[in-house]
Structures are given as C-alpha cells and as structure tokens.
Amino acid sequence: MDAFTNLTGIVMPLDRANVDTDAIIPKQFLKSIKRSGFGVNLFDDWRYLDTGEPGMDNSGRPINEDFVLNKPRYQGAQILLARKNFGCGSSREHAPWALLDYGFRVVIAPSYADIFFNNCFKNGILPIILDEAMIDQLFKEVDANEGYELNVDLEAQTVTTPSGEVIGFDVDEFRKHCLLNGLDDIGLTLQHTDDIHAYEEKRRQNAPWLFR
Amino acid sequence: MAGKTLYDKLWDNHLVRIDDDGTALLYIDRHLVHEVTSPQAFEGLRDAGRKPWRVDSIVATPDHNVPTTDRKAGITDPVARLQVETLDQNCVDFGLTEFTIDDIRQGIVHVIGPEQGATLPGMTVVCGDSHTSTHGAFGALAFGIGTSEVEHVIATQCLVQKKSKNMLVSVDGEVGEGVTAKDIVLRIIGEIGTAGGTGYAIEFAGTAIQALSIEGRMTVCNMAIEAGARAGMVAVDDTTIEYVQGRPYAPNKAQWDDAVEQWSDLHSDDDAEFDSVIRIDAASIQPQVTWGTSPEMVVAVDATVPDPANEADEVKREGMQRALDYMGLTANTPIEEVQVDKVFIGSCTNSRIEDLRAAADVAKGRQVADNIKLALVVPGSGLVKQQAEAEGLDKIFTEAGFEWREPGCSMCLAMNADRLEEGERCASTSNRNFEGRQGRGGRTHLVGPAMAAAAAVAGHFVDVRTMKQAG
C-alpha cells in the first residue's frame, strides 16, 4: 500500500446521497481476478451511455457529458467531495480499487458506510468526515471556482481551502499510523502471534467442536 | 454495573488483545469464501509467501458467477469461468474445503453455511460479502469484509476491529396473517433508514422475532446491512438449537450437551444497556414493496408511490425525485397498479425451502400473467433444490410458467446471464434495489417470496392476502 501524507489536488463534487458501491463499480467488472485496471470503469453506468463489459475498449464508448466525472474542469481530480452514507451496499473492495486506479486519494463526505470506510484505509485512500454544514460550504466553493483545489495534510489532520481556511478532521490513530507509513496490517498482526496462539488454545479447549 | 448485550458477549468471547485506544484483535471462527472477493487475497498470500492460519475454519463455494441454467456445458463466459477455476485452484493449492459447482452442497455462501452447520451459535463468522450478517440469526457475530481483510483472516485468523455501538430493534406483538420476515425487515429499514444502523451492531428481538423460524431470522439479519449495520443478530433459543442439531459441522454427540449449555448464555442480559433502542408494533406491519432505489424507500402494498412535494428536506426531496425518474414511476400511483416485467425469487435473503414453499403456495394452480417476460425461481443451494423437488415444488412452479433453475446468486446482482434489460421492472425477493443492480437501467422492487409470486400471477403488485387459495 502506498503511504498517504500530504496532497494538494483538484476536487470533484458528486452531489448525491447514498452513493452505493454498485454505482462506484458495477458488478460485471468484479469478474476480474486482478486488483488493478478498474479506473476506466469507475461509475461506469453514470459515465458512459452504453453498457460496459469487461475487456471492452473503453476509448470509443459514448460518454455521458452531463456526468461530473466527464466535465473538463474536473479532469485530474484527486479529491472526491461526496454526500452522506457514501459507499453503502456491497463490501466489494473493487470500489476503492476503482477510485484509486482512477486517481482519487481522498474522499470527503459527512458519513460513510462502515465496510467501504474500512476498505479505503487498506488501500491508501483517506476518507475524511466533515460536518454537513462544512460539506455544503465546500460544494458551493467548488461549484463557484473552476480549478478549485484543497490541501489535505494527514499528519496535521487538516484540510486547507484556497482562501486559507483550515478545517480540522478526526482520524483513528492506528489507521493514521498505517496510512502515513504505508503499512499493511497483516505484518503488524503477526507480531502478536503468541497472543493468537494463546487465545486459540483456550478456544480449542472450551469449544472443541469448532476445530476439526 | 449494567449487564451485557449479546453483542458484548460475542465480542468479549473473541477478544485476543485490545489496545488502550480500543483497537482490538478479534479471533474469527469461521471464514466463508467465494470466487469474487477472494482471488486477489490468495494472490497476496502467495506474493508474501504466507499460508492459511487454520484451514479447517474455511469453507468455500462459487456462487456469484455461476450459471443457473444447465451446467453440463460448464461456464460459457470465459471471464467468469476463469474466476471460478481460480477459486477451485486456490482451494486445492491451499488445502481448503470447497463445495464445487458440481457438488450437491454448492450454493449461496449464506445458505450453505447454516445448512451445513458450519455456522453455529457463539461463532464469529466473516465472508467477503456484505450479507454475511445473515449468520447472526444463530446468535453469532457475523459481518462482511473486504478483500484485504479476507487475506488478513486467512493469514492470521484475526481481524483488527473497533467495537461497534449496541442497537436493539424490538418488534413486539404478533404480525398479521401473510406478513413475513421480509416485510418485518423492510419495515425496519424504512423506519431507521439505510444509514440508521451505521456504526452499530443490531440485535433483533421482541416476540415477533422470537416467533420467526430460523430461516425467517436469517432473512431479517441478512438485511441488517441495508440499514447500515455490518452485523445483525438474534438471541439463541430452542428454535436455534433444534435447527443446528444433527448438521454435518454441528458438535458431535459427545460435545452436544456442553455446546448447548454454552449457547444458552447467548442472549442479552435483562439489565443490559443499548446505545439506541427502536420499538416497532408488529401488528402495524403490512406486506411491503420498495418503490425507489434504496431499500429505505419502501411502503405498504396498499399505499401509493410517495410524492416528493411532501418532503421538506431538500437533499431528500431531490433524491426521491431522482429515484422516481429512474424507476419510471409517478408520485401518488397506487402500488397495486404498478405492472412488472420480470419476477425473481431467490438470493441469500429469500431462497431457502420455506421461501420456496411460500411462493409455491401462491403459484399452485395458477398461471404467470401474459405480460411477465420471465419468472425465475433460483434455489439457494443444491440441497434446497433437492428438497424442493422432493416436495414437488418444482412442478408447481414450472406448471405455473416459472423457470426452475440451478442454485446461485443469479439476478440478485446479475453477474451471470440472469439480468434485467434497460427499463424492465422486476418484483424481486433480493435485498438491493440500487440503480443498475439487476442490470443497467433495470428497475427493482423488493418484496417477500409470496408477494413476488403474487405479482407474477397478477402481472402487477397485489396484496397477497387478498388472493384466495386456489383449489
């Protein structure tokens, strides 16, 4: 996993609540056995006018010009501004893989679905929670200013607007540590092998039917 | 000090270690694996030279991608075939138990786990699928995980977790005739909203939940995630224990009494405190039909399509209007006047034997309406299919004009050939009515199995309670 420390990037607004992971990456692309290559199919149903299939040449497909991802002013965006309950539904990690593969490293929303939120941290994406009023303000600022960029500093836990307004955010200490250093947690968990063995031995004695 | 909730007990029983900030290592007893969310995890294990911590904790089966038509020809879609073959190979390479596509025990992971007794009271159960909450019906802590966590559990038998808050949803009293577990859970989601359970583990309780069969409880827990909660659960009682006894992975005779004694503690203490409590009067629940593109957009069958004009909140109003536009519905239309094109009876929510019996009861002696292009019945597992055929349910369905298929996830998420075309409207017993879920441009209405069969027969939504039993 790539570390995340500090980023200044263009913000793309996605102004709808309850965006589900089926919308982020439709099911037909989940047949892949790889982790990469999902970016061209991010928001596929909304982004193209035809039905996408895996292995298709996406370059010639008809584009939905009205969808925000296709607007010239948001090309190269690395920060996704979203509404509440972002990433609800399916547990598919293909959703953060698609966001990352497209180029997004930060999502800012008032709330997230639990599984998606968790999956982001496993893939070097920082999901930031800000209150609804602040989210409303950011939507207005993005809309009014072409090329609108935010600076996101994970160490300092701040989002800074172009006018210099500094907005603090909370992040779990353990997750922050892993993200700042690009650490995968399997290695960290395996440092506690003795604890796991000790628990397991007790479990085996108390509930032997779980072990076959 | 207050007593413990069921969730508190399950959490405490699986705690390997916990840091001062609450970051915990939780031991996982059962890991269910399927073809879609596992290949990248196995690849990760290989790349790092890691082995599974405990192979006997894992049960695998292909379900999402498998065809539901005749399987003698194999899987014709090469991309899907490669994914299923990859699961087969990974299970061979790592020494895991798999119910392969030609095994009678193959089926939807959330159907076969309980069916085999691989899901037991008091367990932690995980799977790379959000509907893992289903297994909470057994007084287990069960939740969906992403692929990185699939790899993490295989390698370490643990997950890094923070404890959720406790929510109690109590459905008190008795539901009326013809009101099912699906109607109960849709009503709950309508009440608390699609994010109402975010950050919580939900315990479903109350007399109406206790009165449900274990299959009904699975339907309720299955959709906890549609209310935002990763885990839903029901306390253990005699219904649970009777269901488990004698299943292949259940405790053997020598272990049985010990197991039952341990399981008898799997309920919330009388003085347990919940962070949130929701109470619903069971008698007020009618058969439910969703009208929009989120499971919270749900009304009783005798209601009308809601009018966004009556919604004060601007973001909500826009969401409602967008849903109506997508669904091709006009506000204030009676639900019973909405015609459907396809009917899907199946999915991890409603593909068990009792679901098929309920649907067959309605289909018996009747015919699928002329305007229905396809009415599919997809059993949840090979064993459910076998049981249904032994009871003659397949004949009832096919004589009525339904198609009787092989087990799998099928049109719940339409990864295989079973799907909606642009603009088609479906009465579906599945769990998600998201845009494009059953096929790009497809319009999904979630209902229970009897309501789906009734819609197939009538050609439009109808209150199944008003249909007289056919000879």
Side-chain angles (χ1 to χ4, degrees), chain A residues 27 31 93 172 199-200 206, chain B residues 13 27 148 162 262 436:
Chain A
K27 81 284 279 162
K31 294 177 190 174
E93 201 161 315
D172 179 272
Y199 173 89
E200 193 165 54
N206 293 342
Chain B
N13 285 347
Y27 188 83
S148 294
K162 280 218 167 161
Q262 278 185 33

Side-chain angles (χ1 to χ4, degrees), chain B residues 211-250:
Chain B
L212 291 174
S213 69
I214 203 80
E215 293 192 7
R217 295 175 192 182
M218 282 193 253
T219 300
V220 172
C221 290
N222 173 274
M223 292 190 71
I225 185 68
E226 309 316 333
R230 283 179 86 172
M233 63 198 75
V234 175
V236 171
D237 62 10
D238 291 346
T239 304
T240 325
I241 289 167
E242 278 162 28
Y243 180 94
V244 167
Q245 190 161 25
R247 295 191 179 264
Y249 284 72

Side-chain angles (χ1 to χ4, degrees), chain A residues 141-159:
Chain A
E141 290 183 14
V142 172
D143 188 53
N145 301 286
E146 191 159 341
Y148 186 90
E149 290 188 329
L150 288 172
N151 171 264
V152 175
D153 187 330
L154 177 56
E155 181 65 60
Q157 297 180 213
T158 55
V159 175

